[in-house]
Amino acid sequence: MRVLIVEDEYALADVLKATLEHENYTVDIASDGEDGLEQGLTGIYDIILLDVMLPKMNGFSVLEKLRKEKITSHVVMLTAKSELDDKVKGLDCGADDYMTKPFQTRELLARLRAVSRRKGELSDDRVLRFADIELDTKSMELTNAKTGASIKLGAKEFQLLEYLLRNSSQILTREQIAEKIWGFDSDAEYNNVEVYISFLRKKINFIGAACRIKAVRGVGYIMEEAS
């Protein structure tokens, strides 16, 4: 899952980034409201951690503009304020949750899992399933549930397969995949997508899974069960 942290306290942003990356999230940082809005409008983020008190544009304004543009990313507001009015305003603007600083990272991780489940993105807190495969989002291990055969995925392989599994009912374009996995401003070329699709196919074949990543000519890729 891809997370955007919009936070002007650099030390806190770096700590949050390290914590989330340790949990296998892909993380970007914006240090002011205008940058956060620009990145958020790309629509590539599953979750946005949005501070309220930001330079250039406050978090409430950022959130209102994101929702006005129909951006559906989950938003968790972060603030040093604990007044009820601020919490109500954030939720009314379209936030999914609200956390008051300081907070424990365990609670933050639990809340991220909770808002993800609201969209039906996770079959449980840890394992994604499709056909006969199981992807452990903590260990990044891919397993054939029928035979027990398993293999470890690299970071980009894991992020790509996770994205495909979470969107198994739709075709994902090369552009969508490149932006989601390598970032909107990444210099990664689209042939990176083909390279990592090839890596994943080999690993799926290695464990003897009854599914495949199908290429849809001129469009992109989709997960499907083997016939």
Side-chain angles (χ1 to χ4, degrees):
M1 297 181 70
R2 195 172 196 96
V3 177
L4 174 63
I5 299 171
V6 189
E7 172 59 67
D8 63 325
E9 295 182 33
Y10 294 103
L12 175 58
D14 288 342
V15 169
L16 291 175
K17 185 175 190 292
T19 298
L20 295 179
E21 288 180 339
H22 181 71
E23 298 294 322
N24 299 324
Y25 291 90
T26 302
V27 184
D28 296 320
I29 294 176
S31 58
D32 62 64
E34 289 183 356
D35 188 24
L37 176 61
E38 182 179 359
Q39 293 192 53
L41 286 172
T42 63
I44 66 173
Y45 297 99
D46 300 290
I47 300 175
I48 299 175
L49 298 181
L50 180 60
D51 190 28
V52 171
M53 302 300 292
L54 291 166
K56 299 184 180 180
M57 183 184 298
N58 68 54
F60 296 132
S61 296
V62 171
L63 179 55
E64 287 176 336
K65 292 179 182 297
L66 289 174
R67 295 308 189 219
K68 183 177 180 180
E69 295 300 321
K70 309 302 182 184
I71 298 300
T72 59
S73 305
H74 294 302
V75 175
V76 178
M77 303 292 290
L78 305 177
T79 183
K81 295 182 177 181
S82 60
E83 287 83 356
L84 179 60
D85 287 346
D86 290 312
K87 294 182 179 181
V88 171
K89 183 176 180 179
L91 295 171
D92 284 344
C93 287
D96 295 273
D97 206 346
Y98 204 109
M99 295 194 67
T100 303
K101 304 176 190 176
F103 49 80
Q104 297 292 321
T105 55
R106 288 178 58 196
E107 181 184 2
L108 174 63
L109 293 172
R111 287 177 183 266
L112 295 189
R113 292 193 296 269
V115 296
S116 296
R117 285 195 296 272
R118 293 174 194 170
K119 194 176 179 180
E121 292 174 332
L122 300 176
S123 55
D124 57 35
D125 286 345
R126 179 162 178 163
V127 180
L128 292 170
R129 297 179 175 87
F130 181 84
D132 60 352
I133 64 172
E134 296 181 346
L135 179 63
D136 190 314
T137 61
K138 180 68 174 179
S139 67
M140 298 195 298
E141 190 169 52
L142 178 64
T143 301
N144 183 323
K146 292 183 178 179
T147 67
S150 64
I151 191 168
K152 184 83 170 182
L153 301 183
K156 290 299 181 187
E157 293 170 341
F158 165 75
Q159 292 164 17
L160 176 54
L161 184 56
E162 181 192 30
Y163 187 39
L164 289 166
L165 292 180
R166 292 189 190 281
N167 297 275
S168 58
S169 63
Q170 62 180 300
I171 299 170
L172 298 175
T173 67
R174 290 177 177 84
E175 290 80 4
Q176 286 176 310
I177 293 171
E179 290 179 3
K180 187 72 172 183
I181 306 305
W182 284 274
F184 187 72
D185 294 323
S186 173
D187 293 329
E189 298 180 3
Y190 291 145
N191 63 0
N192 282 358
V193 175
E194 296 181 1
V195 169
Y196 279 89
I197 289 288
S198 177
F199 290 162
L200 274 180
R201 283 172 170 162
K202 290 176 181 178
K203 293 193 173 182
I204 289 171
N205 288 337
F206 177 80
I207 64 171
C211 62
R212 65 172 182 159
I213 302 172
K214 179 183 177 181
V216 181
R217 186 180 296 274
V219 183
Y221 301 93
I222 188 171
M223 290 293 301
E224 70 171 17
E225 295 190 41
S227 57

